[in-house]
Amino acid sequence: MELLDRYLQAVKKFLPLRRQDDIIAELRANMEAQLEDKESELTRPMTIGEQEDWLRKIGPPMMVAARYQTQQYLIGPSIFPVYWYVLRMAMLWALIIYSVVIAVIIPITTSNGSSVVEALLRIPSVLMTVAAWVTVVFAALEFVAARYPEKCPPIAGLSGNWSPSSLPPLEKESDGKRKGRSYPQAVAEIVFGFLFLGWLLLIPRHPFVIMGPGVYFWRSSPFQLADMWITFFWWIVALNVVQLIWRCTDLLRGTWQQSARLQQIAYKVIPLIPLIQLITVRDHVYVALKHPALDQLRHGNSVDTINKSVHMGLLVVTAIIAIQLAFECGQLAWDWYQKHDASH
Amino acid sequence: MTVSQNIFENLRLELRRGCLTLAVLVQLRREHYGYTLRKDLAANGLDIDESTLYPLLRRLETQGLLVSEWREEEKRNKRFYRLSSDGEVMLDQLLHEWQAINESINRILETR
């Protein structure tokens, strides 16, 4: 029967080389016996259409051959939970590291804002590369574990030898009121923190990133910023660096759920220092004229008004932060008092 | 196929998978080649596709539960399978397990 021969030939192509002759011989014997049975039932040879129906019922050659193959997973169920965990961690850390790198490198090397956009657009390809490498490593592990199970040690956390005492302690909410940060939220804060730092560092060389087209108006205006703004700028940079270091440390130590009270106080104290410097500056000069001799008569009053407004604004901001600081300190003292009281 | 039909089909296949292996092992206490084994199972109400049965026989042989030999019968070379001594021990254990599960299910059904 030509059709059966063609069918078996097609099956053979998908079988493992070492066993294909043996499998095909067996399959042929079984199918020929079945064919004989069918034809003796019909008392005539099967028509081409009947043969096609019969073979169609058995299945496509590739599927029939696949049943003879050893079942192989790219990443099997035994290591999939570990793979999934490692994949998420690798991608989160890749995102953090990439953000740090672009936040540091771009302000040093870039000459225009498009580099920031290009760096951001590269994020998906970076993440896909990391995911591909993690998948390749785990696929290799699966391959080795399937062929040499006796040589593969059980994966920690998935074997029966784990100890319940190794479970991490319960994650407590520090004051019972505020909801703790989730892990993705903590990671997102770090990523955006680094991106913000990069943007901040671009400002001195490229004021366009903060002022937009207004920078051209500012450059052509008769005004200029006083020098103390440079000190203020670097204080803001320092505050962001401290925050990022603290957040990274929290993430590495596994304590990202809630900022320590001391951290919250530090975040209020650090900006107070440059703000106090600003409000105590001599004569409250924040904006000055580029050419006083030429423009004093025309723009002198405008400069005075601007300086008074900025001073008032700075006073309000300082007062708000000082009140928040006092509140934090009060809460800290109250918590300490309650703990102290409970222990006696 | 609707979602519920699809779920039923998946669960039915899962349920049948172990039972088919057990039935094949029981049937191979007597020697058979692939096609007659399939016919015997079908005659007993257990239809099984060629593409499932023949690879299953190979797998069980690789696991040492079956032994096979090529022999000529009715002018055609055929591969005959039967239970090995390891297969007999395994079959006893599996039958015991199957009976225990069956009894448990029946008890659970009776208590409803």
Side-chain angles (χ1 to χ4, degrees), chain A residues 1-12 24-36 38-39 46-48 50-52 54-56 58-59 61 64, chain B residues 50 54 76:
Chain A
M1 180 187 164
E2 192 210 341
L3 204 57
L4 178 62
D5 290 336
R6 281 165 57 198
Y7 183 79
L8 290 172
Q9 177 186 274
V11 172
K12 189 177 176 181
I24 290 296
E26 185 184 7
L27 204 51
R28 177 185 291 281
N30 286 327
M31 291 179 79
E32 282 178 352
Q34 192 176 357
L35 185 69
E36 275 175 17
K38 281 183 180 292
E39 289 185 339
M46 283 171 84
T47 62
I48 295 291
E50 285 166 342
Q51 288 174 23
E52 283 181 355
W54 172 54
L55 292 176
R56 198 175 294 119
I58 293 172
V64 170
Chain B
E50 296 91 339
Y54 304 150
R76 187 173 289 134

mmCIF file of all heavy atoms in Angstrom, chain A residues 1-12 24-36 38-39 46-48 50-52 54-56 58-59 61 64, chain B residues 50 54 76:
data_model
loop_
_atom_site.group_PDB
_atom_site.id
_atom_site.type_symbol
_atom_site.label_atom_id
_atom_site.label_comp_id
_atom_site.label_asym_id
_atom_site.label_seq_id
_atom_site.Cartn_x
_atom_site.Cartn_y
_atom_site.Cartn_z
ATOM 1 N N MET A 1 0.851 -1.204 0.000
ATOM 2 C CA MET A 1 0.000 0.000 0.000
ATOM 3 C C MET A 1 0.881 1.248 0.000
ATOM 4 O O MET A 1 1.621 1.487 0.945
ATOM 5 C CB MET A 1 -0.881 -0.025 1.250
ATOM 6 C CG MET A 1 -1.785 1.147 1.374
ATOM 7 S SD MET A 1 -2.573 1.064 2.975
ATOM 8 C CE MET A 1 -3.173 2.700 3.120
ATOM 9 N N GLU A 2 0.791 1.971 -1.049
ATOM 10 C CA GLU A 2 1.725 3.099 -1.230
ATOM 11 C C GLU A 2 1.521 4.182 -0.168
ATOM 12 O O GLU A 2 2.475 4.743 0.348
ATOM 13 C CB GLU A 2 1.537 3.681 -2.625
ATOM 14 C CG GLU A 2 2.650 4.640 -2.997
ATOM 15 C CD GLU A 2 2.185 5.720 -3.945
ATOM 16 O OE1 GLU A 2 1.140 5.544 -4.586
ATOM 17 O OE2 GLU A 2 2.861 6.766 -4.019
ATOM 18 N N LEU A 3 0.238 4.416 0.138
ATOM 19 C CA LEU A 3 -0.057 5.488 1.092
ATOM 20 C C LEU A 3 0.533 5.199 2.483
ATOM 21 O O LEU A 3 1.075 6.090 3.134
ATOM 22 C CB LEU A 3 -1.579 5.676 1.185
ATOM 23 C CG LEU A 3 -2.056 7.048 1.637
ATOM 24 C CD1 LEU A 3 -1.534 8.156 0.743
ATOM 25 C CD2 LEU A 3 -3.597 7.089 1.642
ATOM 26 N N LEU A 4 0.451 3.910 2.894
ATOM 27 C CA LEU A 4 1.013 3.509 4.191
ATOM 28 C C LEU A 4 2.538 3.686 4.189
ATOM 29 O O LEU A 4 3.121 4.180 5.156
ATOM 30 C CB LEU A 4 0.633 2.055 4.504
ATOM 31 C CG LEU A 4 1.201 1.492 5.819
ATOM 32 C CD1 LEU A 4 0.697 2.275 7.015
ATOM 33 C CD2 LEU A 4 0.832 0.015 5.970
ATOM 34 N N ASP A 5 3.159 3.302 3.075
ATOM 35 C CA ASP A 5 4.622 3.472 2.966
ATOM 36 C C ASP A 5 5.002 4.946 3.063
ATOM 37 O O ASP A 5 5.968 5.301 3.746
ATOM 38 C CB ASP A 5 5.124 2.921 1.624
ATOM 39 C CG ASP A 5 5.042 1.399 1.585
ATOM 40 O OD1 ASP A 5 5.054 0.799 2.675
ATOM 41 O OD2 ASP A 5 4.941 0.831 0.483
ATOM 42 N N ARG A 6 4.231 5.773 2.394
ATOM 43 C CA ARG A 6 4.524 7.215 2.446
ATOM 44 C C ARG A 6 4.337 7.758 3.859
ATOM 45 O O ARG A 6 5.093 8.595 4.340
ATOM 46 C CB ARG A 6 3.610 7.975 1.464
ATOM 47 C CG ARG A 6 4.095 7.859 0.022
ATOM 48 C CD ARG A 6 3.036 8.272 -0.951
ATOM 49 N NE ARG A 6 2.555 9.627 -0.732
ATOM 50 C CZ ARG A 6 1.420 10.111 -1.211
ATOM 51 N NH1 ARG A 6 0.643 9.349 -1.949
ATOM 52 N NH2 ARG A 6 1.056 11.340 -0.982
ATOM 53 N N TYR A 7 3.290 7.243 4.510
ATOM 54 C CA TYR A 7 3.009 7.689 5.891
ATOM 55 C C TYR A 7 4.165 7.293 6.830
ATOM 56 O O TYR A 7 4.672 8.125 7.589
ATOM 57 C CB TYR A 7 1.692 7.047 6.358
ATOM 58 C CG TYR A 7 1.245 7.480 7.741
ATOM 59 C CD1 TYR A 7 0.611 8.699 7.939
ATOM 60 C CD2 TYR A 7 1.469 6.670 8.844
ATOM 61 C CE1 TYR A 7 0.200 9.094 9.200
ATOM 62 C CE2 TYR A 7 1.061 7.054 10.116
ATOM 63 C CZ TYR A 7 0.425 8.268 10.283
ATOM 64 O OH TYR A 7 0.024 8.655 11.541
ATOM 65 N N LEU A 8 4.588 6.031 6.719
ATOM 66 C CA LEU A 8 5.671 5.559 7.607
ATOM 67 C C LEU A 8 6.986 6.277 7.307
ATOM 68 O O LEU A 8 7.763 6.572 8.215
ATOM 69 C CB LEU A 8 5.837 4.041 7.449
ATOM 70 C CG LEU A 8 4.671 3.215 8.019
ATOM 71 C CD1 LEU A 8 4.817 1.746 7.648
ATOM 72 C CD2 LEU A 8 4.569 3.366 9.525
ATOM 73 N N GLN A 9 7.190 6.580 6.042
ATOM 74 C CA GLN A 9 8.400 7.333 5.666
ATOM 75 C C GLN A 9 8.399 8.720 6.316
ATOM 76 O O GLN A 9 9.419 9.197 6.812
ATOM 77 C CB GLN A 9 8.434 7.466 4.146
ATOM 78 C CG GLN A 9 9.600 8.294 3.630
ATOM 79 C CD GLN A 9 9.479 8.490 2.130
ATOM 80 O OE1 GLN A 9 9.928 7.655 1.357
ATOM 81 N NE2 GLN A 9 8.844 9.590 1.718
ATOM 82 N N ALA A 10 7.197 9.327 6.329
ATOM 83 C CA ALA A 10 7.086 10.657 6.943
ATOM 84 C C ALA A 10 7.288 10.579 8.457
ATOM 85 O O ALA A 10 7.956 11.438 9.051
ATOM 86 C CB ALA A 10 5.726 11.262 6.632
ATOM 87 N N VAL A 11 6.749 9.530 9.084
ATOM 88 C CA VAL A 11 6.926 9.365 10.540
ATOM 89 C C VAL A 11 8.418 9.193 10.851
ATOM 90 O O VAL A 11 8.948 9.797 11.789
ATOM 91 C CB VAL A 11 6.113 8.146 11.072
ATOM 92 C CG1 VAL A 11 6.450 7.876 12.530
ATOM 93 C CG2 VAL A 11 4.616 8.375 10.908
ATOM 94 N N LYS A 12 9.071 8.377 10.035
ATOM 95 C CA LYS A 12 10.486 8.037 10.263
ATOM 96 C C LYS A 12 11.371 9.283 10.353
ATOM 97 O O LYS A 12 12.306 9.344 11.143
ATOM 98 C CB LYS A 12 10.973 7.123 9.130
ATOM 99 C CG LYS A 12 12.346 6.526 9.360
ATOM 100 C CD LYS A 12 12.710 5.582 8.225
ATOM 101 C CE LYS A 12 14.125 5.052 8.410
ATOM 102 N NZ LYS A 12 14.509 4.152 7.322
ATOM 103 N N ILE A 24 9.814 1.891 13.248
ATOM 104 C CA ILE A 24 9.042 1.818 11.995
ATOM 105 C C ILE A 24 8.652 0.374 11.679
ATOM 106 O O ILE A 24 7.528 0.101 11.250
ATOM 107 C CB ILE A 24 9.844 2.452 10.825
ATOM 108 C CG1 ILE A 24 9.917 3.980 11.013
ATOM 109 C CG2 ILE A 24 9.234 2.115 9.470
ATOM 110 C CD1 ILE A 24 8.570 4.698 10.962
ATOM 111 N N ALA A 25 9.562 -0.564 11.930
ATOM 112 C CA ALA A 25 9.246 -1.979 11.671
ATOM 113 C C ALA A 25 8.061 -2.419 12.540
ATOM 114 O O ALA A 25 7.147 -3.107 12.061
ATOM 115 C CB ALA A 25 10.472 -2.834 11.972
ATOM 116 N N GLU A 26 8.084 -2.009 13.799
ATOM 117 C CA GLU A 26 6.987 -2.387 14.698
ATOM 118 C C GLU A 26 5.676 -1.719 14.277
ATOM 119 O O GLU A 26 4.613 -2.350 14.249
ATOM 120 C CB GLU A 26 7.336 -1.996 16.137
ATOM 121 C CG GLU A 26 6.294 -2.475 17.125
ATOM 122 C CD GLU A 26 6.555 -2.023 18.561
ATOM 123 O OE1 GLU A 26 7.487 -1.219 18.773
ATOM 124 O OE2 GLU A 26 5.815 -2.472 19.440
ATOM 125 N N LEU A 27 5.794 -0.442 13.953
ATOM 126 C CA LEU A 27 4.599 0.321 13.556
ATOM 127 C C LEU A 27 3.996 -0.276 12.277
ATOM 128 O O LEU A 27 2.781 -0.422 12.147
ATOM 129 C CB LEU A 27 5.009 1.783 13.344
ATOM 130 C CG LEU A 27 3.930 2.850 13.487
ATOM 131 C CD1 LEU A 27 3.168 2.726 14.779
ATOM 132 C CD2 LEU A 27 4.570 4.242 13.383
ATOM 133 N N ARG A 28 4.882 -0.650 11.355
ATOM 134 C CA ARG A 28 4.408 -1.235 10.093
ATOM 135 C C ARG A 28 3.664 -2.554 10.364
ATOM 136 O O ARG A 28 2.574 -2.781 9.834
ATOM 137 C CB ARG A 28 5.598 -1.478 9.154
ATOM 138 C CG ARG A 28 5.202 -2.147 7.839
ATOM 139 C CD ARG A 28 6.419 -2.469 6.992
ATOM 140 N NE ARG A 28 7.062 -1.272 6.479
ATOM 141 C CZ ARG A 28 6.641 -0.570 5.431
ATOM 142 N NH1 ARG A 28 5.549 -0.928 4.799
ATOM 143 N NH2 ARG A 28 7.298 0.485 5.021
ATOM 144 N N ALA A 29 4.252 -3.397 11.217
ATOM 145 C CA ALA A 29 3.617 -4.694 11.517
ATOM 146 C C ALA A 29 2.225 -4.477 12.120
ATOM 147 O O ALA A 29 1.256 -5.131 11.714
ATOM 148 C CB ALA A 29 4.494 -5.484 12.486
ATOM 149 N N ASN A 30 2.137 -3.536 13.058
ATOM 150 C CA ASN A 30 0.845 -3.278 13.711
ATOM 151 C C ASN A 30 -0.166 -2.697 12.720
ATOM 152 O O ASN A 30 -1.334 -3.087 12.709
ATOM 153 C CB ASN A 30 1.025 -2.302 14.872
ATOM 154 C CG ASN A 30 1.683 -2.966 16.066
ATOM 155 O OD1 ASN A 30 1.478 -4.147 16.312
ATOM 156 N ND2 ASN A 30 2.485 -2.201 16.812
ATOM 157 N N MET A 31 0.301 -1.774 11.892
ATOM 158 C CA MET A 31 -0.628 -1.120 10.964
ATOM 159 C C MET A 31 -1.069 -2.055 9.846
ATOM 160 O O MET A 31 -2.220 -2.023 9.425
ATOM 161 C CB MET A 31 0.000 0.172 10.419
ATOM 162 C CG MET A 31 0.113 1.234 11.504
ATOM 163 S SD MET A 31 0.859 2.761 10.935
ATOM 164 C CE MET A 31 -0.509 3.522 10.099
ATOM 165 N N GLU A 32 -0.156 -2.888 9.399
ATOM 166 C CA GLU A 32 -0.534 -3.840 8.346
ATOM 167 C C GLU A 32 -1.548 -4.858 8.877
ATOM 168 O O GLU A 32 -2.484 -5.246 8.182
ATOM 169 C CB GLU A 32 0.712 -4.541 7.792
ATOM 170 C CG GLU A 32 1.477 -3.638 6.826
ATOM 171 C CD GLU A 32 2.762 -4.259 6.281
ATOM 172 O OE1 GLU A 32 3.160 -5.336 6.767
ATOM 173 O OE2 GLU A 32 3.361 -3.638 5.385
ATOM 174 N N ALA A 33 -1.346 -5.273 10.126
ATOM 175 C CA ALA A 33 -2.306 -6.210 10.739
ATOM 176 C C ALA A 33 -3.680 -5.552 10.856
ATOM 177 O O ALA A 33 -4.709 -6.175 10.591
ATOM 178 C CB ALA A 33 -1.800 -6.640 12.112
ATOM 179 N N GLN A 34 -3.660 -4.283 11.233
ATOM 180 C CA GLN A 34 -4.921 -3.544 11.363
ATOM 181 C C GLN A 34 -5.596 -3.394 9.992
ATOM 182 O O GLN A 34 -6.808 -3.557 9.864
ATOM 183 C CB GLN A 34 -4.635 -2.166 11.962
ATOM 184 C CG GLN A 34 -5.865 -1.433 12.402
ATOM 185 C CD GLN A 34 -5.530 -0.107 13.072
ATOM 186 O OE1 GLN A 34 -4.364 0.228 13.256
ATOM 187 N NE2 GLN A 34 -6.566 0.634 13.445
ATOM 188 N N LEU A 35 -4.762 -3.130 8.974
ATOM 189 C CA LEU A 35 -5.279 -2.964 7.618
ATOM 190 C C LEU A 35 -5.927 -4.267 7.115
ATOM 191 O O LEU A 35 -7.009 -4.249 6.527
ATOM 192 C CB LEU A 35 -4.122 -2.547 6.701
ATOM 193 C CG LEU A 35 -4.453 -2.207 5.270
ATOM 194 C CD1 LEU A 35 -5.245 -0.909 5.187
ATOM 195 C CD2 LEU A 35 -3.176 -2.052 4.448
ATOM 196 N N GLU A 36 -5.252 -5.365 7.404
ATOM 197 C CA GLU A 36 -5.794 -6.686 7.001
ATOM 198 C C GLU A 36 -7.150 -6.936 7.658
ATOM 199 O O GLU A 36 -8.087 -7.409 7.024
ATOM 200 C CB GLU A 36 -4.824 -7.785 7.409
ATOM 201 C CG GLU A 36 -3.721 -8.014 6.388
ATOM 202 C CD GLU A 36 -2.696 -9.030 6.868
ATOM 203 O OE1 GLU A 36 -3.005 -9.784 7.834
ATOM 204 O OE2 GLU A 36 -1.607 -9.049 6.295
ATOM 205 N N LYS A 38 -9.263 -4.701 8.704
ATOM 206 C CA LYS A 38 -10.259 -3.808 8.114
ATOM 207 C C LYS A 38 -10.728 -4.349 6.761
ATOM 208 O O LYS A 38 -11.917 -4.318 6.444
ATOM 209 C CB LYS A 38 -9.688 -2.394 7.963
ATOM 210 C CG LYS A 38 -9.676 -1.595 9.255
ATOM 211 C CD LYS A 38 -9.162 -0.199 9.029
ATOM 212 C CE LYS A 38 -9.158 0.608 10.317
ATOM 213 N NZ LYS A 38 -10.497 0.894 10.813
ATOM 214 N N GLU A 39 -9.758 -4.803 5.963
ATOM 215 C CA GLU A 39 -10.115 -5.285 4.621
ATOM 216 C C GLU A 39 -10.895 -6.597 4.677
ATOM 217 O O GLU A 39 -11.774 -6.843 3.840
ATOM 218 C CB GLU A 39 -8.855 -5.425 3.768
ATOM 219 C CG GLU A 39 -8.301 -4.049 3.405
ATOM 220 C CD GLU A 39 -7.110 -4.071 2.464
ATOM 221 O OE1 GLU A 39 -6.431 -5.108 2.372
ATOM 222 O OE2 GLU A 39 -6.865 -3.027 1.830
ATOM 223 N N MET A 46 -9.309 -1.628 0.729
ATOM 224 C CA MET A 46 -9.774 -0.266 1.100
ATOM 225 C C MET A 46 -9.553 0.687 -0.061
ATOM 226 O O MET A 46 -8.535 0.590 -0.763
ATOM 227 C CB MET A 46 -9.008 0.252 2.324
ATOM 228 C CG MET A 46 -9.472 -0.360 3.628
ATOM 229 S SD MET A 46 -8.364 0.085 4.960
ATOM 230 C CE MET A 46 -8.983 1.656 5.434
ATOM 231 N N THR A 47 -10.479 1.602 -0.244
ATOM 232 C CA THR A 47 -10.294 2.625 -1.277
ATOM 233 C C THR A 47 -9.276 3.656 -0.764
ATOM 234 O O THR A 47 -8.975 3.692 0.444
ATOM 235 C CB THR A 47 -11.605 3.352 -1.582
ATOM 236 O OG1 THR A 47 -12.019 4.013 -0.395
ATOM 237 C CG2 THR A 47 -12.682 2.389 -2.049
ATOM 238 N N ILE A 48 -8.795 4.483 -1.671
ATOM 239 C CA ILE A 48 -7.844 5.529 -1.289
ATOM 240 C C ILE A 48 -8.472 6.450 -0.222
ATOM 241 O O ILE A 48 -7.827 6.813 0.765
ATOM 242 C CB ILE A 48 -7.397 6.355 -2.521
ATOM 243 C CG1 ILE A 48 -6.621 5.488 -3.511
ATOM 244 C CG2 ILE A 48 -6.570 7.562 -2.121
ATOM 245 C CD1 ILE A 48 -5.253 5.029 -3.042
ATOM 246 N N GLU A 50 -10.804 5.740 1.945
ATOM 247 C CA GLU A 50 -10.885 5.034 3.245
ATOM 248 C C GLU A 50 -9.509 4.972 3.918
ATOM 249 O O GLU A 50 -9.389 5.121 5.138
ATOM 250 C CB GLU A 50 -11.445 3.622 3.029
ATOM 251 C CG GLU A 50 -12.949 3.619 2.760
ATOM 252 C CD GLU A 50 -13.454 2.278 2.222
ATOM 253 O OE1 GLU A 50 -12.625 1.470 1.727
ATOM 254 O OE2 GLU A 50 -14.671 2.047 2.283
ATOM 255 N N GLN A 51 -8.493 4.742 3.085
ATOM 256 C CA GLN A 51 -7.127 4.710 3.640
ATOM 257 C C GLN A 51 -6.754 6.075 4.239
ATOM 258 O O GLN A 51 -6.166 6.163 5.313
ATOM 259 C CB GLN A 51 -6.125 4.362 2.536
ATOM 260 C CG GLN A 51 -6.185 2.923 2.084
ATOM 261 C CD GLN A 51 -5.277 2.667 0.894
ATOM 262 O OE1 GLN A 51 -4.322 3.394 0.655
ATOM 263 N NE2 GLN A 51 -5.578 1.635 0.135
ATOM 264 N N GLU A 52 -7.133 7.122 3.506
ATOM 265 C CA GLU A 52 -6.820 8.478 4.006
ATOM 266 C C GLU A 52 -7.535 8.747 5.323
ATOM 267 O O GLU A 52 -6.947 9.313 6.251
ATOM 268 C CB GLU A 52 -7.216 9.525 2.958
ATOM 269 C CG GLU A 52 -6.219 9.600 1.827
ATOM 270 C CD GLU A 52 -6.587 10.658 0.792
ATOM 271 O OE1 GLU A 52 -7.665 11.258 0.914
ATOM 272 O OE2 GLU A 52 -5.786 10.860 -0.135
ATOM 273 N N TRP A 54 -8.479 6.575 7.520
ATOM 274 C CA TRP A 54 -7.845 5.739 8.555
ATOM 275 C C TRP A 54 -6.546 6.391 9.064
ATOM 276 O O TRP A 54 -6.337 6.523 10.279
ATOM 277 C CB TRP A 54 -7.576 4.347 7.954
ATOM 278 C CG TRP A 54 -6.759 3.441 8.809
ATOM 279 C CD1 TRP A 54 -6.999 3.096 10.102
ATOM 280 C CD2 TRP A 54 -5.563 2.761 8.428
ATOM 281 N NE1 TRP A 54 -6.031 2.237 10.546
ATOM 282 C CE2 TRP A 54 -5.137 2.008 9.537
ATOM 283 C CE3 TRP A 54 -4.820 2.693 7.248
ATOM 284 C CZ2 TRP A 54 -3.993 1.213 9.519
ATOM 285 C CZ3 TRP A 54 -3.682 1.888 7.234
ATOM 286 C CH2 TRP A 54 -3.276 1.161 8.352
ATOM 287 N N LEU A 55 -5.708 6.833 8.123
ATOM 288 C CA LEU A 55 -4.427 7.458 8.523
ATOM 289 C C LEU A 55 -4.660 8.789 9.229
ATOM 290 O O LEU A 55 -3.945 9.136 10.172
ATOM 291 C CB LEU A 55 -3.529 7.662 7.291
ATOM 292 C CG LEU A 55 -2.999 6.376 6.655
ATOM 293 C CD1 LEU A 55 -2.203 6.692 5.401
ATOM 294 C CD2 LEU A 55 -2.135 5.590 7.630
ATOM 295 N N ARG A 56 -5.680 9.516 8.753
ATOM 296 C CA ARG A 56 -6.002 10.800 9.397
ATOM 297 C C ARG A 56 -6.378 10.575 10.857
ATOM 298 O O ARG A 56 -6.020 11.352 11.723
ATOM 299 C CB ARG A 56 -7.140 11.478 8.635
ATOM 300 C CG ARG A 56 -7.252 12.966 8.947
ATOM 301 C CD ARG A 56 -8.303 13.658 8.107
ATOM 302 N NE ARG A 56 -7.972 13.697 6.697
ATOM 303 C CZ ARG A 56 -8.694 13.138 5.721
ATOM 304 N NH1 ARG A 56 -9.805 12.495 6.001
ATOM 305 N NH2 ARG A 56 -8.319 13.236 4.468
ATOM 306 N N ILE A 58 -5.317 8.156 12.768
ATOM 307 C CA ILE A 58 -4.110 7.807 13.559
ATOM 308 C C ILE A 58 -3.348 9.073 13.957
ATOM 309 O O ILE A 58 -2.833 9.170 15.062
ATOM 310 C CB ILE A 58 -3.209 6.826 12.763
ATOM 311 C CG1 ILE A 58 -3.941 5.488 12.621
ATOM 312 C CG2 ILE A 58 -1.865 6.623 13.449
ATOM 313 C CD1 ILE A 58 -3.265 4.488 11.708
ATOM 314 N N GLY A 59 -3.314 10.041 13.072
ATOM 315 C CA GLY A 59 -2.703 11.330 13.419
ATOM 316 C C GLY A 59 -1.604 11.746 12.476
ATOM 317 O O GLY A 59 -1.066 10.907 11.736
ATOM 318 N N PRO A 61 1.998 12.598 10.966
ATOM 319 C CA PRO A 61 3.262 11.879 11.208
ATOM 320 C C PRO A 61 4.126 12.502 12.314
ATOM 321 O O PRO A 61 4.677 11.784 13.152
ATOM 322 C CB PRO A 61 3.979 11.963 9.858
ATOM 323 C CG PRO A 61 2.879 12.094 8.868
ATOM 324 C CD PRO A 61 1.797 12.867 9.531
ATOM 325 N N VAL A 64 2.676 11.611 15.727
ATOM 326 C CA VAL A 64 2.873 10.184 16.049
ATOM 327 C C VAL A 64 4.335 9.956 16.465
ATOM 328 O O VAL A 64 4.609 9.291 17.469
ATOM 329 C CB VAL A 64 2.483 9.309 14.830
ATOM 330 C CG1 VAL A 64 2.904 7.856 15.039
ATOM 331 C CG2 VAL A 64 0.982 9.390 14.595
ATOM 332 N N GLU B 50 -3.629 4.318 18.669
ATOM 333 C CA GLU B 50 -2.347 3.708 18.313
ATOM 334 C C GLU B 50 -1.192 4.587 18.753
ATOM 335 O O GLU B 50 -0.188 4.114 19.278
ATOM 336 C CB GLU B 50 -2.234 3.523 16.786
ATOM 337 C CG GLU B 50 -3.225 2.588 16.157
ATOM 338 C CD GLU B 50 -4.491 3.301 15.691
ATOM 339 O OE1 GLU B 50 -4.770 4.405 16.197
ATOM 340 O OE2 GLU B 50 -5.194 2.761 14.836
ATOM 341 N N TYR B 54 1.367 2.439 21.365
ATOM 342 C CA TYR B 54 2.656 1.891 20.939
ATOM 343 C C TYR B 54 3.847 2.603 21.626
ATOM 344 O O TYR B 54 4.756 1.929 22.105
ATOM 345 C CB TYR B 54 2.779 1.915 19.408
ATOM 346 C CG TYR B 54 1.642 1.180 18.691
ATOM 347 C CD1 TYR B 54 1.207 1.547 17.438
ATOM 348 C CD2 TYR B 54 1.000 0.096 19.309
ATOM 349 C CE1 TYR B 54 0.162 0.871 16.793
ATOM 350 C CE2 TYR B 54 -0.048 -0.574 18.684
ATOM 351 C CZ TYR B 54 -0.473 -0.180 17.429
ATOM 352 O OH TYR B 54 -1.505 -0.841 16.813
ATOM 353 N N ARG B 76 4.651 -12.675 9.185
ATOM 354 C CA ARG B 76 5.035 -11.274 9.395
ATOM 355 C C ARG B 76 5.800 -11.157 10.721
ATOM 356 O O ARG B 76 5.399 -11.767 11.719
ATOM 357 C CB ARG B 76 3.787 -10.391 9.435
ATOM 358 C CG ARG B 76 4.115 -8.921 9.482
ATOM 359 C CD ARG B 76 2.874 -8.055 9.360
ATOM 360 N NE ARG B 76 2.306 -8.091 8.024
ATOM 361 C CZ ARG B 76 1.014 -8.244 7.754
ATOM 362 N NH1 ARG B 76 0.146 -8.381 8.739
ATOM 363 N NH2 ARG B 76 0.571 -8.268 6.511
#
